[in-house]
């Protein structure tokens, strides 16, 4: 049996895990590595990418920067979360604000140190990224439209760290040869950005009560829920553009199956959106978008599934 002191320590670890959204970090790491293997450097062996130490530092720096971002976001949102997420908020409060800030600064220091080992450009990138996350949490997120756009942009930004890493050594003369890769990356990024932006707007509808009490100027508060739903509908239809580019202009292998299923889900998503008017219903829509984003990450392997078969053969017959 654990003593009371040990139980409290375990609860504090669980609390910190909840604050940094520890369940999201492996997804981010997986997304970056899959993007590197299947989109950014398909000409390279998957094993070479996985064993690239500098790439590991970039991915790890991204993960702990995002974790620190969740901490500072939780720090500024503590009052709002008491209303919007009372159960999670009580768990998060097991760790003091002072401890959260200490972990926040420690993680950021480790992130920029790892980036500096890779290059001075990586150091500047992560320094700017850390500042933007803090500025968003402290100021920008309280404002309509720009807050939603910034949140979605910050969520996509780690993939640009990987992009810069792979294209850092490409000369100006070689850029044209990599233009098709860049267009595929951009189309994937735009599609992900739109899904994240829709999710941010659903969160505004979901957190309406807490935002209102804490003077957050979100779209449903300044205008109304109908305007929010109209904007979400337009954004959902805009996802057709990057998907059309990926399926009809460039080759994404079997990943087109994911996009077709995604469109079917988004159609039902919109129908349910216009019938929704409660926190529970908006939470369900939020979870649907989370599922589409996470499944999209996993489905990146469908671009070239033969990489998995070759990797299996390499392990079984070294």
């Amino acid at each position: 049996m654990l003593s009371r002191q040990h139980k409290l320590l375990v609860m504090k670890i669980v609390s910190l895990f909840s604050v940094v959204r520890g369940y999201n970090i492996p997804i981010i790491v997986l997304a970056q590595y899959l993007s590197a293997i299947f989109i950014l450097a398909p000409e390279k062996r998957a094993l070479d990418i996985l064993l690239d130490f500098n790439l590991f530092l970039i991915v790890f720096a991204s993960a702990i920067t995002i974790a620190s971002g969740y901490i500072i976001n939780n720090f500024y949102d503590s009052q709002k979360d008491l209303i919007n997420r009372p159960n999670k908020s009580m768990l998060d409060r097991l760790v003091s604000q002072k401890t959260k800030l200490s972990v926040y600064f420690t993680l950021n220091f480790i992130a920029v140190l790892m980036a500096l080992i890779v290059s001075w450009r990586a150091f500047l990138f992560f320094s700017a990224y850390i500042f933007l996350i803090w500025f968003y949490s402290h100021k920008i997120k309280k404002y309509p439209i720009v807050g939603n756009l910034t949140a979605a942009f910050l969520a996509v930004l780690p993939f640009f760290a990987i992009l810069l890493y792979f294209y850092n050594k490409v000369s100006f003369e070689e850029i044209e040869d990599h233009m098709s890769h860049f267009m595929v990356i951009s189309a994937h990024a735009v599609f992900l950005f739109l899904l994240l932006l829709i999710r941010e707007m659903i969160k505004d509808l979901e957190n309406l009560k807490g935002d209102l009490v804490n003077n957050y100027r979100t779209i449903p508060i300044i205008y109304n829920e109908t305007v929010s739903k109209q904007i979400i509908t337009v954004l959902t239809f805009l996802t057709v553009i990057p998907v059309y580019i990926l399926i009809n202009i460039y080759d994404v292998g079997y990943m087109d199956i994911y996009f077709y299923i995604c469109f079917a889900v988004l159609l039902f998503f919109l129908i349910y959106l216009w019938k929704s008017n409660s926190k529970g219903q908006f939470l369900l829509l939020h979870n649907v978008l989370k599922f589409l984003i996470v499944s999209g990450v996993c489905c990146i392997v469908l671009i070239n599934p033969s990489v998995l078969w070759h990797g299996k053969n390499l392990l079984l017959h070294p």
Side-chain angles (χ1 to χ4, degrees):
M1 290 290 290
L2 291 173
S3 66
R4 187 174 180 276
Q5 191 174 8
H6 285 116
K7 284 182 180 178
L8 183 60
L9 178 62
V10 170
M11 288 303 294
K12 285 187 176 183
I13 293 171
V14 172
S15 174
L16 192 59
F17 184 84
S18 172
V19 170
V20 302
R21 313 273 181 91
Y23 43 85
N24 282 346
I25 304 302
I27 299 297
I28 294 163
V29 171
L30 179 65
Q32 287 182 299
Y33 269 116
L34 290 179
S35 298
I37 293 169
F38 292 94
I39 301 174
L40 294 172
E43 73 284 353
K44 291 188 176 182
R45 283 202 318 160
L47 189 60
D48 292 337
I49 293 174
L50 291 174
L51 296 178
D52 187 328
F53 181 66
N54 282 342
L55 178 61
F56 167 77
L57 291 179
I58 292 290
V59 171
F60 195 71
S62 299
I64 60 177
T65 299
I66 291 166
S68 73
Y70 283 131
I71 291 174
I72 201 66
N73 196 53
N74 179 274
F75 179 84
Y76 285 116
D77 279 355
S78 57
Q79 295 302 315
K80 186 180 82 166
D81 288 343
L82 275 173
I83 299 169
N84 293 328
R85 300 179 181 85
N87 294 331
K88 184 181 184 300
S89 182
M90 294 308 294
L91 176 63
D92 293 350
R93 281 173 172 254
L94 289 175
V95 176
S96 68
Q97 297 287 68
K98 182 180 178 181
T99 301
K100 288 176 187 176
L101 285 180
S102 297
V103 175
Y104 168 74
F105 286 115
T106 302
L107 290 177
N108 284 337
F109 175 76
I110 295 170
V112 294
L113 184 62
M114 286 183 167
L116 187 59
I117 293 171
V118 177
S119 71
W120 65 268
R121 291 183 180 87
F123 172 79
L124 290 179
F125 177 90
F126 280 98
S127 297
Y129 188 32
I130 289 165
F131 172 77
L132 283 173
I133 291 174
W134 169 80
F135 192 58
Y136 163 76
S137 301
H138 182 52
K139 288 285 185 185
I140 299 176
K141 74 178 300 180
K142 293 187 177 183
Y143 298 99
I145 303 174
V146 66
N148 301 112
L149 289 168
T150 305
F153 173 71
L154 289 173
V156 173
L157 206 54
F159 296 98
F160 285 93
I162 306 293
L163 177 66
L164 289 173
Y165 174 73
F166 278 105
Y167 288 92
N168 183 43
K169 297 178 182 179
V170 175
S171 66
F172 185 77
E173 292 76 17
E174 294 176 310
I175 288 177
E176 191 173 343
D177 297 333
H178 292 80
M179 193 54 68
S180 61
H181 274 177
F182 184 76
M183 290 303 296
V184 172
I185 296 158
S186 299
H188 276 283
V190 170
F191 178 73
L192 177 60
F193 176 82
L194 288 170
L195 284 186
L196 289 166
L197 185 54
I198 294 166
R199 193 189 72 160
E200 289 300 319
M201 297 199 65
I202 290 291
K203 281 167 66 177
D204 285 344
L205 291 168
E206 182 188 340
N207 300 331
L208 188 59
K209 190 181 294 184
D211 288 344
L212 189 61
V213 171
N214 288 275
N215 298 317
Y216 279 53
R217 293 171 55 80
T218 59
I219 292 172
I221 289 174
I222 294 179
Y223 304 104
N224 53 54
E225 289 189 20
T226 301
V227 172
S228 282
K229 290 179 179 180
Q230 289 171 343
I231 295 172
I232 290 168
T233 302
V234 172
L235 291 172
T236 304
F237 281 114
L238 283 176
T239 59
V240 172
I241 298 172
V243 170
Y244 175 83
I245 292 171
L246 288 169
I247 292 177
N248 291 284
I249 300 178
Y250 298 100
D251 183 18
V252 289
Y254 294 105
M255 197 177 176
D256 56 357
I257 298 170
Y258 162 77
F259 288 123
Y260 291 133
I261 294 172
C262 193
F263 279 146
V265 173
L266 286 173
L267 181 61
F268 287 104
F269 169 88
L270 285 179
I271 294 170
Y272 191 76
L273 171 68
W274 284 96
K275 294 179 180 179
S276 301
N277 52 26
S278 69
K279 180 180 173 67
Q281 290 172 316
F282 292 128
L283 177 61
L284 177 60
L285 291 170
H286 183 183
N287 288 331
V288 168
L289 289 171
K290 270 188 179 180
F291 172 76
L292 289 179
I293 293 167
V294 173
S295 59
V297 168
C298 298
C299 287
I300 290 175
V301 299
L302 295 176
I303 294 175
N304 185 12
S306 63
V307 171
L308 297 179
W309 306 329
H310 293 156
K312 181 181 177 182
N313 291 335
L314 187 65
L315 290 174
L316 293 177
H317 308 288

